[in-house]
Amino acid sequence: MKKLKIGMISFAHGHAFSYFNSLHALPEVEVAGIADPVPSRVERLVQAHQLPYYEDYRQLLDTDIDAVVICSENVYHAEMTIAAAERGKHVLCEKPLGITKESMEAMITACRDNGVQLMTAFPCRYLAAVVQAKRAVERGEIGDVIAVKGTNRGSFPGGWFVDPALSGGGALLDHTVHVMDLMNWIIGSEVKEVYAYAAPLFHENIEVEDAGMIHVKFENGVFGVLDTSWSRNATFPTWGDVTMEIIGTKGVISVDGFAQKNELFSNVNGKGTWEFWGDNMDAYLIQDFVDALIHDKPVPISGEDGLRSAHVALAGYESLQQGQPVQL
């Protein structure tokens, strides 16, 4: 069987390494090259796997690859996706899909017009607790959903994430999109109103917010609230969390996305750690992307899905500036 040739563009986002490992483990895939303007980020991978390396991502796009995985700084997502689409390459793009509504719409249009697929990297859809919660809601086990309370509280990422010229925003953008996508997916309705609060509360001398709360109203009447922060300090056992309380007319579902873990108290680490033993959500994400391309079927998490969740975060900034709710 002919292998699917996939290239990787930028390892600026740490998820790239997990995506690479997941791609490399698939017998139907050939990782056909890596492009990154910072050679030190990928030097070990390139040498260990004897991969073609390109400093300019356009050189990778000019090869005979079938698709790319983009994990660059947020500000470059649109440029790279559109360039890939114009060369006939399918795209899996790291979240947030873009930093403006217009740029995301341009990404979606470019992929559609060039007959390629655009998938947004939302691996949290593959967490076992999330999948089971969605099925329970669909079965009507808690009646009609009336509200959802979520958290995505992470640790401070530093680096380009706190440079608005590269990230497009702080925690409000970075940590809204994952759980907002889960809310959109489970509730199945569009957000119509957004109200947000955000500020730098935990770290000094940064140009972006590290804490935020975002409130939404869905068209079907459901209310949602999300703690979207970098509030976990360096001693916390893991990078953060993904939780939801889904409140219905007949019951409540509590979701803890990373509850499949062992607690380890280590003198070597000097603190407690959580060793996750659950399924690899990144591997499922990559497998679904590959399966869609091989079998010529729609990707399960579209560019439109990425736009919907990021648009809520961007509306949060507008609400922050106005000091009042904004309509979508």
Side-chain angles (χ1 to χ4, degrees), residues 57-229:
Y57 74 89
R58 297 172 188 83
Q59 294 175 303
L60 173 61
L61 292 177
D62 286 336
T63 68
D64 65 346
I65 58 173
D66 301 297
V68 291
V69 177
I70 297 173
C71 294
S72 68
E73 297 88 346
N74 300 339
V75 72
Y76 301 125
H77 287 179
E79 168 195 320
M80 292 173 170
T81 295
I82 292 169
E86 289 174 345
R87 290 165 174 79
K89 318 300 183 185
H90 303 285
V91 178
L92 171 61
C93 186
E94 183 53 65
K95 65 81 190 169
L97 188 65
I99 61 170
T100 67
K101 181 173 181 284
E102 293 74 20
S103 67
M104 290 184 283
E105 289 173 338
M107 295 163 71
I108 293 167
T109 298
C111 289
R112 181 179 63 243
D113 289 350
N114 287 280
V116 298
Q117 297 221 55
L118 172 59
M119 181 167 171
T120 308
F122 282 139
C124 291
R125 286 202 191 187
Y126 298 91
L127 290 167
V130 170
V131 173
Q132 292 177 26
K134 178 173 170 58
R135 290 172 179 168
V137 169
E138 290 173 343
R139 289 193 296 266
E141 291 186 10
I142 60 170
D144 296 326
V145 176
I146 56 176
V148 184
K149 179 177 72 174
T151 69
N152 192 359
R153 299 164 294 195
S155 54
F156 185 65
W160 66 263
F161 286 91
V162 298
D163 180 354
L166 295 174
S167 64
L172 194 65
L173 178 60
D174 185 41
H175 271 198
T176 290
V177 291
H178 271 309
V179 177
M180 186 53 58
D181 174 67
L182 300 183
M183 290 185 183
N184 289 335
W185 190 46
I186 291 171
I187 295 169
S189 179
E190 298 282 339
V191 172
K192 70 173 184 178
E193 185 178 283
V194 178
Y195 176 71
Y197 170 81
L201 297 180
F202 302 102
H203 304 86
E204 297 180 352
N205 302 318
I206 59 173
E207 296 182 65
V208 295
E209 74 287 349
D210 60 9
M213 295 290 290
I214 196 157
H215 303 254
V216 296
K217 293 180 182 178
F218 291 87
E219 288 182 350
N220 65 357
V222 174
F223 290 85
V225 61
L226 173 59
D227 179 344
T228 167
S229 304

Side-chain angles (χ1 to χ4, degrees), residues 237 260-264 269 273-278:
Q260 295 174 302
K261 61 184 184 294
N262 295 316
E263 295 182 353
L264 173 66
N269 293 326
T273 59
W274 291 347
E275 300 293 334
F276 186 71
W277 53 260

